[in-house]
Each structure stands twice: as C-alpha cells, then as structure tokens.
Amino acid sequence: MADIGQLPHLVSLLDDESKTVRKAVVREMMAFPGLREAIRALPDSLVNSRREPIEAVLEEYHREWIRAAWPEWFEFPGDIARLEKALTMLAKFQSGIRYRQDLPELLDTLAAEFRSAYSSGNVLLLAKFLFQVKNLRGARETYHHPQNSNLVHVILSGEGLPISLSCLYLLVGARLGISVEGYNHPGHFMARVEHNGRKMLVDCYHGGQLVEEKDVAVLHPAENGDADLSPDRIANAEIIIRRVLNNLRRVYELCGHAPNGQLMDDLLRQVEEQFSRPSSGGDRTWDPALSKKIPRFGRGQFVRHKQMLYRGLVVDFDLRCDDGGILPQGQPAADREQPWYHLLVDGSDQVSYIPESHLEPDPLRSPIQHPLIGHFFTKTPDGRWIRNGTPWPK
C-alpha cells in the first residue's frame, strides 16, 4: 500500500534531472488511491511550484481511472440516470484537478432556481429560463475546444456545444418532471419536446429557438435530405454518449492531444461492445438500425481499411450508401444502412467509398500524401489539415 505521507517528497522530485527518477516517482504516485484529493491537501506553495508536472501525472491518472470506471454507468437503472452518470464521469476527467463542483449538484441548483422563479413549469418556460435568463449559449469562438463537452465547464462558463446544451436541458427537465428528449439531428444536435399537443425541436445552441417540422430543412439542413421529425432520431443515453465521445475524439485529434484522442476511442469501443448485444433486462433499449446511422468517423479523421490496410483521410460521409442504387461488387445489401465514407487514399491519386464496418482508426495518425488534399483541406500554421468549405461532389 502506497504511503500517503511520502507524497510531498515525491512531488518535489517530479522535475528531477534524472529521467529514471522521474519515471519511478510517477509510478509511485500513480499507486495512490484518491491521488487528486491527496494533492489538493498539499501546501499551495508546493503544488504551484510543480503545477505542470503534477497536472501531467494527474492527467494520466485520470485516464487510467476513467478507463477502469467507465462501465459503471452501463448498469445504472433508467436512461436519465445512465446519461447523467456518464456525463459526470467525463466532466470529472476533463476538469482534472480543477473538478471542485459536482455536476449533479450544479444541475440541482439550476432546477431549484427554476422552481423559485416559476410557480409551475413547462418545456417552453424551461428553455426560456436556461437559454435566455441564465444565458446558456452556443460556443462560437471556441467551438472546437474539448471543454465544450464538459457539462461542469458549460454551466460555469455559460457556453457549450449543441449536444451539451441539449443535455443540460434534458437533465434539468428530468429534475422538474418536464419531459425533454435528445434529437440526433445530423450535424446539429437538438432537443425534441411536446407542448399543447405539438411536437417541435428546441435549438439549445441558438437561444432555445423553437423549430417546427416544416422549418427543419430550412434552418438545419440534414445530411441526405432527411429532414422530418422522425422518431427514429430520438437519442437515448447510449446514442448521446457515442456522439459526445466522437466529438471529443475529433477535437483532441485537432488539438494534437493523441493520448486523450485514443482514450475517447477506447471508451467508445467499450460502449459499442456493451450495447451491441440485446439488453438482459431493465428499460434499456437497443436499436441496431439507429446506431448504425451515427457516424463513427468525422471529416478530417485518419482511418485504415481493416482488410486491405491502406490509410485514408475522411473528406465526407453519407449516413447510408448513396451510389445511385448500385452497391459495390460483393457488398451485402445490409451494408447499405450504415455510414459510408469518401476517402483520399494515402500515396495515390485514388478516392474510395467505404462502409464504416470496413474501417478502423488509423494507428499512425500521420499526414497522408494525396493530390486533392489541398482542395478539400486548409493547412494551419502548425501543420495540421482542417476541412474547408469545398463540398464533396454529389
């Protein structure tokens, strides 16, 4: 058992000149149970003088913690409870040593404030309260920052992604007995509500704007023209968490943080393995057809063909095979109903159109060589390629 009394001495050695000593120190610190809380108890002068190496150790500590603890939310009773537990774990991981306010407590506070402001409530009043009174809003200048998926950060900063703001709406609503559903609209997650017998979407990113069915295609064009309020797009906890993890994986890759990008991929794999089999009980639901239409890979992500092992860069995707009615030779008809990706093939001038089931994340994650890369991507000053606005030809 690690001796907590040795922690101050170990922290003082984190910047030792010897790499061997530093590795041994990190190994010893990683063995402490409750390392984050123990470091908080140290004198501020010691922590501040070693803040950078301490945060590096804690980041690895938190990666190991969430990998091991992640399956806990799978068995929570009820979809809302599962969603809240998973998002709480992600918030704790992303906040690291800064995690001082618990997500459930912050949600409780928002619900209590709503109750004190309104004698009764409905979905429209709650949207007004969260997105106008409390001014929770869409992050624009920092859209691709990983913390926009951290619900603790979103509540404290007032800014988040469409899906994180929708989750706040859903979770606060659950505390108040107000029914809000996640709506898995391609490219722009929203919430679906019912008021006075009318079903509508709430765009939490744009101030709680109401979107009726006839306006969906105009305000938020869907991939492949699918623009109705289909019940097939109602997102349960598993669907929402998959999308959150996909978002995080992409932004960590964009900011060059490979360990966290790989972590999100590992967590996503655990989700897929758990929910790819029928439920053994409870109220968990699994819809394979719906799950297959959530893209695993994003534009600008490096992938590899599982069988042929060639590398490629995702330029665009379709939610189902869009080939004019003809599947590639030898492709089972069932493979049509999943995301398909347009890839620039590394080391050639070829492009390919491949179903998701044939692809995996590229372990190299290094740039590819292709004559069209400059047409669809813009090179940043630090050497990364970011997808530009040039559309893929249809």
Side-chain angles (χ1 to χ4, degrees), residues 8 22 44 60 106 134 180 202 208 234 257 265 270 301 319 347 389:
R22 293 198 305 272
D44 289 343
E60 180 57 33
L106 291 172
K134 299 299 293 185
V180 179
V202 178
I234 300 303
H257 201 314
D265 199 48
Q270 290 190 48
Q301 187 166 350
L319 293 180

Side-chain angles (χ1 to χ4, degrees), residues 74-96:
F74 299 161
E75 303 304 324
F76 266 55
D79 199 64
I80 294 294
R82 284 193 290 275
L83 177 64
E84 185 169 320
K85 176 63 175 178
L87 292 172
T88 298
M89 295 172 76
L90 286 172
K92 184 175 181 179
F93 164 74
Q94 288 189 270
S95 299

Side-chain angles (χ1 to χ4, degrees), residues 359-381:
L359 299 173
E360 61 186 3
D362 174 27
L364 297 179
R365 301 171 186 250
S366 57
I368 71 166
Q369 300 296 321
H370 195 283
L372 291 179
I373 192 169
H375 183 70
F376 293 105
F377 294 84
T378 300
K379 195 171 187 179
T380 64

Side-chain angles (χ1 to χ4, degrees), residues 36 48 92 167 388:
R36 180 169 58 93
N48 291 334
K92 184 175 181 179
C167 285
N388 59 32

Side-chain angles (χ1 to χ4, degrees), residues 10-56:
L10 292 172
V11 167
S12 68
L13 293 174
L14 277 173
D15 54 2
D16 191 272
E17 294 181 359
S18 169
K19 186 176 181 180
T20 302
V21 170
R22 293 198 305 272
K23 282 186 175 181
V25 168
V26 169
R27 186 167 58 250
E28 287 291 316
M29 289 181 66
M30 293 289 286
F32 283 113
L35 177 62
R36 180 169 58 93
E37 289 73 17
I39 286 179
R40 282 184 183 170
L42 295 176
D44 289 343
S45 58
L46 177 59
V47 173
N48 291 334
S49 67
R50 305 290 194 282
R51 180 165 294 278
E52 188 172 332
I54 285 174
E55 289 186 345

Side-chain angles (χ1 to χ4, degrees), residues 114-187:
F114 179 85
R115 289 192 191 97
S116 67
Y118 303 94
S119 57
S120 62
N122 60 48
V123 290
L124 303 188
L125 276 177
L126 180 57
K128 177 183 178 181
F129 171 74
L130 291 175
F131 307 118
Q132 296 179 31
V133 177
K134 299 299 293 185
N135 196 29
L136 294 172
R137 58 200 178 276
R140 289 172 170 77
E141 294 183 3
T142 60
Y143 188 88
H144 293 292
H145 197 288
Q147 291 297 329
N148 289 324
S149 295
N150 174 355
L151 262 62
V152 168
H153 175 84
V154 172
I155 293 172
L156 297 179
S157 70
E159 295 188 344
L161 299 180
I163 192 168
S164 53
L165 293 169
S166 297
C167 285
L168 289 178
Y169 186 27
L170 190 157
L171 293 174
V172 174
R175 282 163 163 74
L176 298 166
I178 297 173
S179 178
V180 179
E181 298 174 304
Y183 192 78
N184 197 36
H185 194 68

